[in-house]
């Protein structure tokens, strides 16, 4: 193997060095490097900034960082597999270390292109530095970097979702007994507790966390070592590369690794963000709808809104509008990810970096931050919510069900009876609590006659009838798993808190594994380079 490595060094160094010179002439600054790469059509990523990254870690781990991390893993593996002799490995490792050192100094270069980085190495240690490229290509390197970058951003998005779930559960715990109207088809339907409502959406966000865990199992796979798409003649240890770079395993098929996986899994990731944004928009729509009313039961606290420049009475919910706009942007960007991949033949560049190019996940993280601001400022007025319920007939189904359950009245008859009460009340402008009991008795007889049943007395006395018109009583008397009754809501709340705790634990474990991989790589590289 040493003879092979020596032959490789002697035979390939000149042509590889020439390739490096031809593809990446010397550049004096990061900006100049980007300009040179752009002139020849090489991929130049959008410069990273706080605005297009999801966290300080994502900001730090740019393409330059990852190209050199891959270089570190590559040289460790090449020496371990005896593809390169230790002395060559040590020299090249020092070149990589010097490349990183110069980047950390004022005015240091952080080019993104592989060949430009290789030029810095070869300028430092000579053409032997190009041997690090044995068996690899931009294709597998960029596929690996893109998966790692998307991995970082998806994990940050998952943390953001968990922060929102935290707030929703805290708010829910305060409103187990707050009765509010729920709507179907845009019409007030039945009473529930506000905690019951929030837990429904939190459960869907918990499914997002589950989707991210499942996505991570597919995303956290390494393309490294597959070269362009058909592997190489060098016996690279792909599993070792994956381990050093923090991946859980391999994208096995080498064509899949660089050309298919690169849009399959990113489209899946984008879909999770889009789906979350759509549901977030639904909650925000419910909040915003309350602002149409003169006496809302759901508001933002004073000081969390802004006033109109012309109309003194207005309190504009800017926090809600900001979050809704961000959610719409996320949905639009996710569609763009799919459109960029649609009708494009495999191997093209169009689809390979789209979610990151478009800053989809940074926008998704900002969307959740905006939603968190809404949750932190939310004010619920239980008295006003109950008023709204008591002004409508959202308990009418309970009349029909009670007649069937307790008195053997066919449901359709009870339904017809309750519907006639609503029709009469709305015609006469009566609220449920104002409905005359004698009219209810009369309407029941009419419902029996409609279905050709024998005449009978309404089996509900006035007290029982009035009780069935109470939204609070209806919520208290629900039964069955998942209902809005306080005991069941408390049970679901405890379950949601336990699920969130487990999801946070998974996040800590996942990030811990990445840190362990970094430490393992640094130790192996340090031993080789002597740094």
């Amino acid at each position: 193997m040493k003879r092979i490595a020596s032959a490789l060094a002697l035979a390939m160094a000149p042509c590889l060095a020439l390739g490096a010179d031809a593809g990446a002439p010397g550049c004096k600054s990061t900006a100049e490097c980007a300009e040179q790469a752009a002139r020849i059509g090489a991929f130049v990523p959008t410069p990273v900034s706080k605005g297009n990254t999801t966290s300080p870690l994502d900001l730090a781990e740019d393409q330059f960082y990852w190209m050199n991390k891959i270089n570190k893993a590559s040289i460790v593996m090449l020496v371990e597999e005896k593809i390169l002799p230790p002395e060559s490995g040590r020299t090249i490792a020092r070149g990589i270390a010097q490349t990183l050192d110069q980047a950390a100094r004022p005015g240091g270069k952080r080019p993104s292109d592989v060949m430009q980085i290789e030029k810095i190495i070869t300028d430092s240690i000579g053409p032997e530095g190009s041997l690090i490229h044995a068996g690899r290509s931009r294709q597998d390197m960029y596929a690996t970097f893109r998966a790692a970058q998307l991995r970082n951003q998806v994990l940050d998005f998952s943390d953001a979702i968990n922060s929102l779930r935290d707030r929703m559960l805290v708010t829910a715990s305060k409103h187990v007994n707050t009765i509010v109207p729920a709507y179907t088809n845009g019409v007030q339907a039945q009473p529930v507790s506000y905690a019951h409502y929030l837990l429904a959406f939190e459960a869907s966000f918990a499914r997002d966390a589950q989707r991210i865990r499942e996505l991570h199992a597919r995303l956290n796979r390494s393309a490294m070592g597959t070269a362009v798409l058909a592997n190489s003649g060098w016996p690279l240890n792909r599993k070792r590369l994956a381990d050093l770079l923090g991946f859980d395993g391999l994208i096995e098929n080498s064509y899949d690794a660089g050309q298919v996986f690169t849009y399959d899994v990113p489209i899946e990731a984008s879909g999770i963000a889009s789906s979350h944004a759509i549901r977030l928009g639904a909650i925000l729509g419910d909040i915003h709808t309350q602002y149409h009313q003169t006496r809302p039961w759901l508001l933002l606290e004073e000081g969390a809104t802004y006033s109109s420049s012309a109309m003194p009475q207005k309190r504009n919910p800017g926090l809600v509008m900001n979050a809704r706009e961000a959610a719409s942007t996320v949905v639009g960007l996710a569609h763009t990810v799919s459109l960029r991949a649609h009708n494009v033949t495999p191997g093209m560049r169009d689809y390979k970096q789209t979610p990151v190019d478009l800053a989809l996940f940074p926008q998704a993280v900002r969307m959740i931050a905006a939603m968190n601001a809404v949750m932190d400022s939310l004010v619920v007025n239980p008295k006003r919510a109950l008023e709204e319920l008591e002004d409508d007939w959202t308990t009418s189904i309970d009349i029909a069900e009670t007649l069937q359950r307790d008195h053997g009245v066919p449901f359709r008859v009870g339904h017809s009876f309750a519907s006639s009460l609503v029709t009469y009340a709305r015609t006469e402008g009566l609220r449920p609590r104002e409905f005359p009991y004698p009219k209810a008795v009369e309407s029941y007889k009419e419902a029996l006659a409609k279905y050709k049943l024998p005449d009978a007395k309404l089996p509900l006395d006035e007290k029982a009838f009035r009780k069935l018109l109470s939204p609070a009583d209806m919520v208290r008397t629900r039964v069955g798993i998942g209902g809005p009754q306080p005991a069941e809501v408390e049970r679901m709340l405890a379950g949601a808190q336990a699920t969130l705790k487990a999801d946070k634990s998974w996040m800590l474990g996942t990030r811990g594994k990445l840190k362990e991989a970094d430490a393992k790589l640094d130790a192996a590289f340090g031993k080789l380079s002597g740094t």
Side-chain angles (χ1 to χ4, degrees), residues 153-207:
Q153 294 193 351
V154 168
L155 290 177
D156 288 339
F157 178 56
S158 187
D159 275 334
I161 291 175
N162 288 344
S163 73
L164 174 57
R165 291 167 65 195
D166 248 331
R167 285 168 168 80
M168 296 186 83
L169 293 179
V170 168
T171 304
S173 69
K174 298 174 182 177
H175 293 287
V176 172
N177 295 296
T178 298
I179 311 303
V180 301
Y183 300 82
T184 61
N185 300 311
V187 179
Q188 194 177 133
Q190 288 183 300
V192 296
S193 70
Y194 195 54
H196 188 251
Y197 169 89
L198 289 175
L199 285 171
F201 280 97
E202 193 281 332
S204 83
F205 298 156
R207 289 191 289 274

Side-chain angles (χ1 to χ4, degrees), residues 359-375:
L360 168 59
F361 283 97
Q363 181 66 30
V365 168
R366 287 195 291 275
M367 166 189 72
I368 296 177
M371 184 65 200
N372 285 343
V374 172
M375 292 300 301

